[in-house]
Structures are given as structure tokens and as C-alpha cells.
Amino acid sequence: MNATLVLVQPDGSLKEIPLTKQVTVMGRQTDCQLRIPSAGVSRHHCEVVLSEGGVKVRDLGSSNGTFVNKQKVEQKDLSPGDMISIGGLVFVLRVDGKPQFIDAEDAIEDGLVEGVSGDQPAAKPSAPTLTPGSAFVPKPQPKPAGKKSLIDSDPDGSSVGDFNFLDEDDEDLKKQPKL
């Protein structure tokens, strides 16, 4: 099985992230395989598990929850085309090339969950204003020596994603010491 998560950005661009390990942990912490340093994402937010039986997502006790197709889940078996929403981001699961086409606008509308606290219904999201360095736009930066790029391959062949989603309002996260 060839599985990828496709990050859908409001500007219509897509970023494909191959799932090459049996377990891919998504979160803010530096030891996560898919690192998303955003205030809405917990240190160890959720994990995507590949098995012979398919793909599943499991919430790891996150503060803001993990959503599949706008439904809050603790654990859920996934199908191709399912949308995983965490911390204001939408990922579409692609398995063996399906779905072949992903409409970014539809995916954002059908998958994004904002303003959810506990089991409260989400408010309809407004279109975010994008500026360089704001949420959803990875900052292009030169690769420092010894530092992984946005998607690098570890020696064991796994993919590692590291996104910079901090915007100007996330000053508290910028001040946190790096581990």
C-alpha cells in the first residue's frame, strides 16, 4: 500500500507527504515525524497508523482534538479521500493514487474545523488572509547544515515533515526554548 497525506492550503496548493513508517506521529514536538509548530497543534497531537488492514488515525490526547471529515474522533479507520483536520490544517488521505484529483477549495470547505472547543459545533471558517510567514504558508529558508528540510528522508527511509506555520500572533511559541 502506498499512502500519503496531502496538505491542502487555502491558496490552492497541495503538499504531498509520503507515509513510509508504520506509525507517523503528528504534532508540535521536535521528535514527531510530521512536525507542525502551530499553537492549535498539541506536542504529540495524533498518529497515523499503517497496517495490512488499512490506515487509521488515533488522537493522542490532544487539546483541540483530531477530526476526520469534520467529526471529532479518538480513533478511526480511514478511507482514501478522508480529510484529517488538526489545528486549522486539512490533510487528505491518498492511498494507491486515490483520490487522483483533490480540489483544494472543496477540501478546505469539507474538512476544516475551526473554533471547536470540546463538543461545541464549529463556526463556519472565514477565508484566512495569507501573507508570507502566516499560517499554512511554509517559509522558504536556506537549509542550515545538519537540519532537515521540509521533507527529508531519514537514513531508515522514513519521511519527516517540518512545517513553519507560526504567524505574527504566535509570539508565545516563538519565545519557547528549542529542544
Side-chain angles (χ1 to χ4, degrees):
M1 169 177 33
N2 181 11
T4 60
L5 289 178
V6 180
L7 173 63
V8 180
Q9 300 182 80
D11 67 0
S13 64
L14 305 173
K15 179 70 178 177
E16 196 154 346
I17 304 150
L19 298 173
T20 58
K21 283 189 161 189
Q22 182 180 1
V23 177
T24 300
V25 177
M26 300 168 68
R28 229 178 42 232
Q29 196 68 30
T30 57
D31 64 343
C32 293
Q33 287 76 42
L34 187 55
R35 184 170 178 266
I36 307 167
S38 174
V41 177
S42 294
R43 288 181 185 103
H44 293 105
H45 196 99
C46 66
E47 63 185 9
V48 178
V49 181
L50 303 176
S51 67
E52 289 184 27
V55 182
K56 74 172 70 172
V57 66
R58 184 178 350 202
D59 186 79
L60 298 175
S62 66
S63 298
N64 293 322
T66 300
F67 297 81
V68 174
N69 304 324
K70 289 194 173 182
Q71 299 295 312
K72 189 172 185 178
V73 298
E74 295 298 318
Q75 180 171 305
K76 174 120 175 94
D77 290 329
L78 300 174
S79 299
D82 279 347
M83 292 164 283
I84 302 169
S85 178
I86 65 170
L89 304 175
V90 175
F91 296 88
V92 178
L93 177 67
R94 181 177 279 161
V95 179
D96 296 330
K98 294 180 181 154
Q100 183 176 2
F101 176 75
I102 297 172
D103 182 298
E105 186 176 323
D106 287 347
I108 293 292
E109 185 177 317
D110 296 342
L112 186 63
V113 177
E114 287 186 2
V116 175
S117 175
D119 293 321
Q120 305 275 333
K124 179 146 178 79
S126 60
T129 303
L130 295 177
T131 57
S134 69
F136 304 102
V137 180
K139 290 182 182 177
Q141 298 175 355
K143 183 178 174 181
K147 181 128 174 130
K148 292 184 183 337
S149 69
L150 187 62
I151 299 292
D152 270 343
S153 186
D154 281 343
D156 67 359
S158 66
S159 293
V160 176
D162 193 4
F163 298 95
N164 186 354
F165 291 112
L166 296 179
D167 58 23
E168 301 305 317
D169 296 330
D170 290 332
E171 291 298 322
D172 59 326
L173 286 176
K174 288 180 184 177
K175 293 177 186 173
Q176 292 180 350
K178 301 221 180 204
L179 300 175

